[in-house]
Amino acid sequence: MEKRIFIPISRLHNGVKEIAKGNYHVKIDHTTFNEIGFLIDSFNDMAAKLQRNETLKQEYEENWKTLIANISHDLKTPITAIGGYIDAIHDGVVTSPEKLDQYLHVIKKNTLYINRLIDDLFLFSKLDMHQLEFQMESIGIKAFMDDLMAEFRFEFEERGLGFQYTDDTDVNYKVTLDGKRIYQVIHNVIGNSVKYGPPGNLCLKIRLYQKAGFICLAIQDNGPGIPEDKITRIFDRFYRIDSERTKDLMSTGLGLSIAKELMAAHGGKIQVTSVLGEGSCFTLMLPISSEEGSAPCIF
Ligand code: ADP
């Protein structure tokens, strides 16, 4: 009686006291195969779940603190710069109209940066909270990409940059997507090739093809490439390879993390390969669908 009932109940009692103190690491060993034994098994399951939730909560809080620290730092830098330039103008340090124009230009650039950071943060937080509304529709990928690529081609040609687009798909596959959001992903990736690529000498080679149930868009640039030890980190939020240099390039460190989340919301993914000194290739993959019609969905 003592072994089957009193000892296990006493252990259970101690376990409950530990949980009440916030110690979820408890696990009660037992060899009783009666109702009390089942109760102890349920207790152990509950303690393990509480422990998992606690770990997740701690990770979430850590992420949140890092996010706030990053945002504060990223906002403080341009705001301090704006304040400094305004003070200089106010104190009469700027005497020539050219200098004034220069200062105003820097102020404008910093306000644009803040605006961009806030837009990216807003989008990122909506994605993070699964509150971004998607207008999904089933479309033929060929025409969609043709239109989109014509837009980029025009922009590139206007700037004298190289742009090549090849459609290697055999049939007009159907893909379910939100056009505005996929445009945004492509815009972020191509925008990076422009930002980090050789100025005036950039050449993009883009290829559309089908592989293993996915429509793939490979965007290859002839930029600086990404070091092997950094490549896994570029999709992390706020990660920049060269944070000093990228400040001048309106970089928020959020573009690729947003792209990754948007692709995931489409059931797709984004991959990268890169050779240092030769260039990088970002591949966007969207699942091929055969369904017709449209349906809005929330991610
Ligand atoms: P951002 O460009 O705003 O800094 P991203 O999340 O878009 O943020 O990119 C993260 C980092 O990855 C960039 O800061 C840059 O260092 C690197 N990167 C992204 N795309 C390229 C590219 N095409 N070539 C070289 N480096 C790149």
Side-chain angles (χ1 to χ4, degrees), residues 66-83:
T66 316
L67 187 68
I68 297 290
N70 279 325
I71 295 170
S72 314
H73 173 264
D74 280 36
L75 277 175
K76 199 168 166 37
T77 314
I79 288 173
T80 309
I82 291 172

Side-chain angles (χ1 to χ4, degrees), residues 77-105:
T77 314
I79 288 173
T80 309
I82 291 172
Y85 283 99
I86 288 177
D87 281 349
I89 296 170
H90 196 240
D91 295 346
V93 177
V94 191
T95 44
S96 72
E98 292 79 32
K99 201 92 189 144
L100 180 63
D101 202 47
Q102 231 176 10
Y103 275 40
L104 289 176
H105 179 74

Side-chain angles (χ1 to χ4, degrees), residues 109 113 116-117 120 155-156 159 161 186-204 221-225 234 239-242 245-257 282:
K109 203 171 155 197
Y113 176 81
R116 168 133 191 230
L117 183 62
D120 277 2
E155 243 182 75
F156 268 62
R159 299 167 70 169
L161 304 172
I186 297 173
H187 187 267
N188 284 2
V189 171
I190 294 185
N192 279 347
S193 296
V194 175
K195 268 194 293 187
Y196 305 112
N201 200 21
L202 174 70
C203 181
L204 271 198
D221 66 37
N222 59 338
I234 60 170
Y239 184 78
R240 293 111 153 165
I241 292 175
D242 179 353
R245 198 175 67 88
T246 50
K247 258 182 210 149
D248 294 339
L249 301 169
M250 303 287 280
S251 130
T252 64
L254 288 169
L256 287 178
S257 54
F282 286 84

